Amino acid sequence: MKIAVDAMGGDHAPDEIVRGALLYRASGGEADLVLVGREQELRRIIASSVPPGITIRNATDVVAMDEHPAQAVRNKPDSSISVCARLCRDGRADGWASAGNSGGVMAAALFIQGRIKGVERPALGSIVPTQEGFAYFLDVGANVDSKPEYMAQFAAMGAVYAREMLGRPEPRIALLSNGEEEGKGDERVRETTRLLKGSLAGFIGNVEPKDIYGARADVVVADGFVGNVAIKMAEATADFLFRTLREEIPKTLSGMLGGLLIRPGVRQIRDRIDWREFGGAPLLGIDGVAVVAHGRSDARAMKNAIRVTRDAIENQLVGKIRAEVGRA
């Protein structure tokens, strides 16, 4: 197995991305890696000779985080994002991962690799911790204005992801809404409910945000605008909570003593909800494996994004989504 890694993408690229690739190999990761980016910079970070299982593919351009995604991909054919997508399209890599401009990753995957036949719009998901483990939440930003037909496909593709990547043989699928009752939600949610009722096994109707963390569903579907706002709010809330604990607990002697006692438990909670542990998520509906990692990814997050890429390849996620869409 060979995975291309966009070494120039992300807030901490290329240093942390390269270190993440090295960490993946050092931790026993079996897939060979192709680091794609400006070769001189990548060799500077590696310092010594390139270790076994890692090669470098030079790419002269970078799609910046603030560039217009589609224009950048068209105007920069030798960007690290575009080169990664072409390596997969041409069969020289089995999948790729990037923490770069997420719109750029989407554009490169669409323009170069293409969509699975029958897929209207690709979707991007995120792993969300729950009281019983994890749920899969999509779309979190690939589409900012989704039609009900798109959301129905998101639900079907999300069900495949839950079965193949999360080990849920009979996943429960729900729509995010402002109430559990069938009549709740805007017109888009109500129409999506109509499309899914009786057509998708495991569809349980609407859930509210609190129900996601209460583990009522394995897959939760929203349109990309709502999903993106919701996932960013959840991340910001978790960051605020732990930052507040760090600032407030040491202010008193009793707080410092109590903090020492609860530190192991707090660390376990933090690790459970730490987005870096989830790494990234594949763009569902692309005709090939393309994994989007968080723009703030450090070495640990990138190591896990590479792991997710390997799992998607090994579990033949793309082929199984293709089969599901064909049946639908």
Side-chain angles (χ1 to χ4, degrees), residues 22 28 40 51 69 72-74 113 134 155 164 175 182 187 195 199 207 216-218 221 240 243 256 277 279:
L22 297 174
Q40 287 188 336
V73 169
R74 289 192 181 99
Q113 293 172 275
F134 305 103
E164 303 304 327
L175 290 174
E182 186 173 320
E187 183 178 348
L195 292 173
S199 66
V207 294
R216 278 200 55 203
D218 302 298
V221 179
F240 172 76
R243 185 170 64 251
M256 286 189 287
E277 290 299 312

Side-chain angles (χ1 to χ4, degrees), residues 145-227:
D145 192 10
S146 304
K147 296 179 180 179
E149 292 82 3
Y150 304 165
M151 292 172 63
Q153 275 198 342
F154 299 165
M157 293 191 295
V160 176
Y161 187 94
R163 286 197 300 267
E164 303 304 327
M165 301 288 283
L166 300 182
R168 312 288 169 81
E170 297 180 351
R172 300 160 296 166
I173 300 96
L175 290 174
L176 181 64
S177 187
N178 61 338
E180 300 175 10
E181 300 82 5
E182 186 173 320
K184 290 286 184 141
D186 59 13
E187 183 178 348
R188 175 164 37 203
V189 170
R190 294 195 299 271
E191 177 62 15
T192 306
T193 297
R194 188 189 67 78
L195 292 173
L196 290 175
K197 281 185 65 176
S199 66
L200 183 63
F203 178 61
I204 62 172
N206 293 349
V207 294
E208 298 180 25
K210 63 180 175 59
D211 298 320
I212 300 176
Y213 301 102
R216 278 200 55 203
D218 302 298
V219 178
V220 179
V221 179
D223 82 276
F225 179 80
V226 171

Side-chain angles (χ1 to χ4, degrees), residues 7-299:
M8 309 305 294
D11 296 342
H12 306 297
D15 298 67
E16 288 296 307
I17 308 303
V18 173
R19 293 190 182 105
L22 297 174
L23 185 60
Y24 170 82
R25 289 291 301 180
S27 63
E30 296 179 353
D32 289 344
L33 306 181
V34 182
L35 292 175
V36 180
R38 292 169 177 158
E39 185 169 0
Q40 287 188 336
E41 293 185 44
L42 304 187
R43 291 190 180 278
R44 170 187 60 80
I45 299 164
I46 294 175
S48 59
S49 59
V50 180
I54 293 181
T55 57
I56 294 175
R57 167 65 161 81
N58 187 52
T60 57
D61 278 332
V62 177
V63 175
M65 300 297 274
D66 58 351
E67 284 190 82
H68 186 281
Q71 290 179 4
V73 169
R74 289 192 181 99
N75 296 335
K76 295 181 174 181
D78 201 43
S79 68
S80 54
I81 285 176
S82 295
V83 171
C84 283
R86 280 201 303 275
L87 288 173
C88 291
R89 181 198 64 189
D90 297 341
R92 289 179 286 167
D94 300 295
W96 63 291
S98 174
N101 184 314
S102 57
V105 176
M106 174 81 159
L110 271 174
F111 297 160
I112 298 171
Q113 293 172 275
R115 287 174 293 179
I116 292 172
K117 185 178 180 180
V119 171
E120 296 289 341
R121 292 287 188 278
L124 179 62
S126 178
I127 299 296
V128 178
T130 72
Q131 66 183 24
E132 295 180 3
F134 305 103
Y136 187 59
F137 182 43
L138 77 166
D139 176 36
V140 295
N143 307 273
V144 294
D145 192 10
S146 304
K147 296 179 180 179
E149 292 82 3
Y150 304 165
M151 292 172 63
Q153 275 198 342
F154 299 165
M157 293 191 295
V160 176
Y161 187 94
R163 286 197 300 267
E164 303 304 327
M165 301 288 283
L166 300 182
R168 312 288 169 81
E170 297 180 351
R172 300 160 296 166
I173 300 96
L175 290 174
L176 181 64
S177 187
N178 61 338
E180 300 175 10
E181 300 82 5
E182 186 173 320
K184 290 286 184 141
D186 59 13
E187 183 178 348
R188 175 164 37 203
V189 170
R190 294 195 299 271
E191 177 62 15
T192 306
T193 297
R194 188 189 67 78
L195 292 173
L196 290 175
K197 281 185 65 176
S199 66
L200 183 63
F203 178 61
I204 62 172
N206 293 349
V207 294
E208 298 180 25
K210 63 180 175 59
D211 298 320
I212 300 176
Y213 301 102
R216 278 200 55 203
D218 302 298
V219 178
V220 179
V221 179
D223 82 276
F225 179 80
V226 171
N228 188 264
V229 171
I231 201 69
K232 287 179 176 176
M233 178 66 79
E235 290 177 356
T237 300
D239 287 345
F240 172 76
L241 174 62
F242 283 102
R243 185 170 64 251
T244 302
L245 287 173
R246 285 196 303 269
E247 293 172 354
E248 294 298 325
I249 287 176
K251 288 185 176 180
T252 64
L253 178 60
S254 59
M256 286 189 287
L257 294 174
L260 291 174
L261 293 174
I262 67 171
R263 181 178 294 173
V266 171
R267 186 178 294 115
Q268 288 181 349
I269 295 171
R270 184 194 63 199
D271 291 344
R272 183 178 171 188
I273 67 174
D274 189 351
W275 56 266
R276 293 177 297 178
E277 290 299 312
F278 309 137
L283 273 168
L284 302 186
I286 293 296
D287 195 11
V289 175
V291 169
V292 180
H294 204 297
R296 292 185 287 146
S297 291
D298 59 9

